[in-house]
């Protein structure tokens, strides 16, 4: 059975690093350590999909060359874009940076045999971004994990978020045959959010 985690949300405003969690807690601090601690605590407290938003308009970085996706990774990208298209939303473009981060995190989950979110969701992101999101899960195969993501409102929210324009997917099968996956979502800074039709 696929088991995606639950939701974690944080937003940083231009006036300073203010983290707002879905539970309603608001905490401010200008230090990088405190931001990381707050984000890590939010992940542990709320578990689930990751979502971070920063409002600071800057031109987007150009798309890097796309790495070759494995068949399961391409299958997930196709499923995401078919779902988004069925709702009148833009297709997501595979981003090498997001792909590398998703693959690295998926490998970490397999090694640990532990489903968890990236503790520092913005760590390692090399492109200018407005918003980040993450879905993680594992199950017997792509169809099983996909069905769990679509049936979970917080995961579905990331899949059909109209502001996201890039994606990276990592898939790895462990020795017991379980498939582990991480989906990293990104909104570049210059892409305005478009409401669904």
């Amino acid at each position: 059975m696929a088991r995606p985690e639950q939701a974690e949300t944080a937003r940083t405003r231009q006036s300073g690093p203010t983290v707002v969690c879905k539970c309603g807690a608001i905490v401010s601090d200008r230090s990088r350590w405190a931001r990381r601690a707050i984000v890590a605590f939010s992940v542990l407290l709320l578990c689930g999909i990751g979502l971070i938003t920063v409002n600071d308009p800057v031109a987007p970085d150009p798309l890097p060359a796309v790495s070759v996706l494995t068949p399961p990774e391409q299958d997930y990208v196709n499923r995401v874009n078919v779902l988004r298209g069925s709702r009148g939303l833009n297709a997501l473009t595979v981003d090498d940076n997001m792909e590398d981060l998703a693959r690295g995190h998926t490998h970490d989950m397999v090694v640990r045999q532990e489903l968890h979110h990236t503790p520092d969701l913005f760590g390692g992101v090399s492109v200018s971004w407005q918003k980040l999101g993450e879905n993680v899960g594992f199950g017997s195969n792509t169809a099983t994990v996909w069905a769990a993501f679509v049936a979970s409102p917080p995961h579905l929210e990331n899949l059909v978020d109209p502001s996201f324009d890039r994606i990276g997917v990592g898939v790895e099968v462990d020795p017991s045959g379980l498939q582990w996956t991480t989906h990293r979502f990104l909104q570049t800074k210059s892409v305005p959010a478009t409401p669904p039709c």
Side-chain angles (χ1 to χ4, degrees), residues 64 93-104 121 123-127 129 131-133 166-170 182-187:
T93 303
V94 175
D95 180 277
D96 268 1
N97 180 228
M98 292 293 99
E99 188 70 23
D100 290 344
L101 293 171
R103 286 175 174 169
L121 195 57
V125 178
S126 64
V127 298
W129 55 274
K131 185 176 182 180
L132 297 170
R166 297 189 191 178
I167 190 171
V169 176
T182 304
H183 300 184
R184 296 286 303 259
F185 303 93
L186 179 138
Q187 174 191 1

Side-chain angles (χ1 to χ4, degrees), residues 25 77 113 134:
V77 171
Q113 288 291 291
E134 177 181 71

Side-chain angles (χ1 to χ4, degrees), residues 87-134:
R87 296 179 179 219
L89 300 172
N90 61 305
L92 301 180
T93 303
V94 175
D95 180 277
D96 268 1
N97 180 228
M98 292 293 99
E99 188 70 23
D100 290 344
L101 293 171
R103 286 175 174 169
H105 184 70
T106 300
H107 183 71
D108 181 62
M109 291 191 299
V110 169
V111 168
R112 293 181 186 203
Q113 288 291 291
E114 174 186 272
L115 186 68
H116 62 278
H117 276 284
T118 304
D120 180 6
L121 195 57
F122 43 85
V125 178
S126 64
V127 298
S128 299
W129 55 274
Q130 180 74 23
K131 185 176 182 180
L132 297 170
E134 177 181 71

Side-chain angles (χ1 to χ4, degrees), residues 71-73 75-76 79 139-149 171 179:
E73 291 168 345
D75 188 11
Y76 277 117
R79 288 171 188 256
S140 57
N141 56 46
T142 301
T144 302
V145 177
W146 178 254
F149 281 163
V171 175
Q179 181 195 87

Side-chain angles (χ1 to χ4, degrees), residues 21 32 50 57 61 131 133 135 137 190:
C21 300
R32 183 172 175 88
D61 295 316
K131 185 176 182 180
N135 286 352
S190 69

Side-chain angles (χ1 to χ4, degrees), residues 35-107:
R35 282 195 314 248
R36 285 183 176 180
I38 291 165
V39 171
F41 176 74
S42 297
V43 170
L44 292 174
L45 178 66
L46 299 172
C47 301
I49 61 171
L51 182 61
I52 296 177
T53 304
V54 172
N55 296 317
D56 186 16
V58 173
D61 295 316
L63 283 173
V66 177
S67 61
V68 176
L69 300 177
T70 66
E73 291 168 345
Q74 187 63 60
D75 188 11
Y76 277 117
V77 171
N78 293 343
R79 288 171 188 256
V80 169
N81 284 333
V82 167
L83 175 65
R84 292 175 66 86
S86 74
R87 296 179 179 219
L89 300 172
N90 61 305
L92 301 180
T93 303
V94 175
D95 180 277
D96 268 1
N97 180 228
M98 292 293 99
E99 188 70 23
D100 290 344
L101 293 171
R103 286 175 174 169
H105 184 70
T106 300
H107 183 71

